[in-house]
């Protein structure tokens, strides 16, 4: 399978130039305005921090923008180290929350820019290795075994991605001072949306495990192309359900950062994971999948259920 996301090296250089400029402006603001200093550094003394950060973040980013690979690595590693250290400080002290937010954004963008400059791409193939490598399920397992395995996967994945991670994110959001009021009715809306999205996810999982001879996870992919149930309306109903579930959880716990986590997850899945999944399906199911992909959209459901040419309408 090919590379899923190519990044021109000039994008990486442009980002590091922007980061150097932003870093310089930020340090001027830190020394010029006490509000900026306390919001981003808390009670930390800015002088020793600047002594380390200006050469390793601002100057290194500027040199990285010129195409020097060593500076790219130095700026990225330093940004990640500072992000972690500042996050620990803010969690313990409840200070410098805005500094954490800015540095986490800078760290993520720096890693992407580093990939652009050193590799010319995001190495998305790393995601689909090991336990997440695409492998067909055993043809000798019964349908009941696939259903049991699927619901086991649901318990583990929903428990981690929809309970553990959102709770941790919401707690950090509170410690870092980002809690913002949600509109009235947000909790009720979140509960209703979560129920509907969970129902879609369960319906999709049952359709996959009973019709496809496998499970939704890459470690035991279905042996047959599933175009029944919700798959007749939208091509990736489980992914759609999962993203909507996470947004609904954000409404329930009243956390903007959880909502952002859901949206970032949707971008990661759509741009980094989905191309590999669809390449695997195209390789295994050929024209049948290509016809399905042309007829059923990934995110926006059809107004009417799709039926393969030459087949009668199946009950969803």
């Amino acid at each position: 399978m090919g590379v899923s996301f190519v990044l021109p090296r000039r994008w990486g250089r442009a980002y590091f130039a922007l980061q150097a400029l932003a870093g310089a402006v930020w340090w001027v603001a830190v020394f010029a305005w006490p509000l900026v200093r306390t919001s981003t550094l808390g009670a930390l003394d800015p002088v020793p921090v600047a002594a380390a950060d200006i050469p390793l973040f601002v100057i290194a980013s500027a040199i990285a923008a010129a195409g020097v690979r060593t500076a790219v690595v130095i700026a990225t590693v330093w940004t990640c180290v500072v992000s972690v250290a500042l996050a620990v400080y803010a969690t313990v002290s409840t200070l410098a929350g805005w500094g954490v937010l800015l540095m986490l954004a800078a760290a993520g963008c720096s890693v992407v820019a580093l990939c652009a400059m050193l590799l010319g791409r995001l190495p998305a193939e790393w995601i689909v290795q090991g336990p997440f490598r695409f492998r067909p399920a055993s043809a000798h397992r019964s349908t009941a075994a696939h259903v049991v395995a699927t619901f086991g996967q649901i318990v583990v994945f929903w428990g981690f991605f929809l309970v553990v991670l959102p709770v941790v994110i919401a707690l950090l959001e509170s410690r870092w001072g980002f809690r913002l009021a949600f509109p009235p009715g947000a909790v009720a809306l979140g509960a209703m949306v979560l129920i509907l999205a969970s129902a879609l996810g369960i319906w999709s999982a049952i359709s996959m495990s009973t019709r496809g001879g496998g499970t939704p996870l890459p470690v035991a992919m279905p042996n047959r192309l599933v175009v029944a149930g919700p798959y007749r309306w939208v091509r990736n109903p489980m992914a759609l359900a999962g993203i909507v579930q996470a947004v609904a959880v954000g409404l329930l716990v009243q956390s903007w950062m959880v909502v952002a986590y859901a949206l970032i997850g949707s971008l990661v899945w759509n741009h980094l994971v989905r191309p590999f999944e669809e390449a695997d399906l195209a390789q295994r199911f050929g024209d049948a999948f290509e016809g399905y992909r042309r007829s059923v959209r990934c995110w926006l459901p059809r107004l009417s259920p799709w039926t393969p040419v030459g087949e009668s309408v199946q009950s969803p």
Side-chain angles (χ1 to χ4, degrees):
M1 291 181 284
V3 174
S4 65
F5 203 88
V6 175
L7 287 173
R9 287 177 169 82
R10 65 179 183 276
W11 289 9
R13 296 180 64 173
Y15 171 75
F16 279 113
L18 178 62
Q19 181 167 273
L21 177 61
V25 171
W26 174 65
W27 273 114
V28 170
V30 164
F31 286 102
W33 292 289
L35 179 61
V36 174
R37 181 169 62 250
T38 56
S39 297
T40 57
L41 289 179
L44 295 174
D45 185 345
V47 174
V49 177
D53 193 69
I54 290 176
L56 294 174
F57 181 74
V58 179
I59 296 176
S61 294
I63 298 174
V68 179
R69 294 192 169 198
T70 302
V72 170
V73 175
I74 291 173
T76 302
V77 171
W78 174 254
T79 305
C80 293
V81 169
V82 170
S83 298
V84 173
L86 198 58
V88 172
Y89 169 75
T91 303
V92 173
S93 68
T94 70
L95 302 173
W98 286 105
V100 175
L101 188 64
L102 292 173
M103 289 308 300
L104 287 176
C109 292
S110 293
V111 170
V112 172
L114 176 145
C115 291
M117 294 188 66
L118 301 188
L119 304 175
R121 61 188 174 85
L122 281 180
E125 66 275 11
W126 294 356
I127 299 175
V128 291
Q129 298 298 320
F132 296 102
R133 181 169 60 88
F134 295 113
R135 295 187 293 269
S138 171
H140 301 294
R141 298 187 70 181
S142 65
T143 298
H146 290 310
V147 171
V148 170
T150 295
F151 275 90
Q153 294 168 9
I154 286 176
V155 170
V156 172
F157 275 76
W158 287 12
F160 181 72
F161 289 104
L162 298 178
V163 178
V164 175
L165 274 184
V167 167
V168 171
I169 292 171
L171 289 175
L172 290 176
E173 182 179 24
S174 180
R175 294 290 297 176
W176 296 346
F178 294 138
R179 301 292 286 185
L180 299 174
F182 271 62
V187 173
L189 176 62
M192 180 178 66
V193 172
L194 180 61
I195 291 171
L196 293 175
S198 299
L200 174 61
I202 292 172
W203 184 20
S204 305
I206 292 174
S207 298
M208 178 74 71
S209 56
T210 58
R211 303 293 188 94
T215 75
L217 273 189
V219 292
M221 294 287 284
N223 289 286
R224 296 181 295 277
L225 181 64
V226 178
V227 294
Y231 292 90
R232 297 173 62 201
W233 279 270
V234 64
R235 202 162 71 237
N236 288 280
M238 290 201 72
L240 179 61
I243 292 162
V244 175
Q245 282 175 303
V247 172
V249 170
L251 296 178
L252 278 174
V253 299
Q254 301 195 50
S255 168
W256 293 107
M257 286 183 64
V258 172
V259 174
Y261 148 77
L263 298 179
I264 292 170
S266 71
L267 294 176
V268 170
W269 186 88
N270 187 63
H271 293 293
L272 302 184
V273 178
R274 182 171 66 89
F276 287 93
E277 180 185 57
E278 295 193 344
D280 174 74
L281 293 171
Q283 181 180 19
R284 291 196 290 128
F285 300 118
D287 292 341
F289 174 72
E290 293 296 345
Y292 175 63
R293 177 159 55 180
R294 287 192 298 269
S295 302
V296 181
R297 293 185 292 264
C298 176
W299 294 108
L300 296 176
R302 290 167 55 96
L303 296 178
S304 59
W306 179 73
T307 303
V309 176
E311 294 187 17
S312 60
V313 177
Q314 299 175 346
S315 170

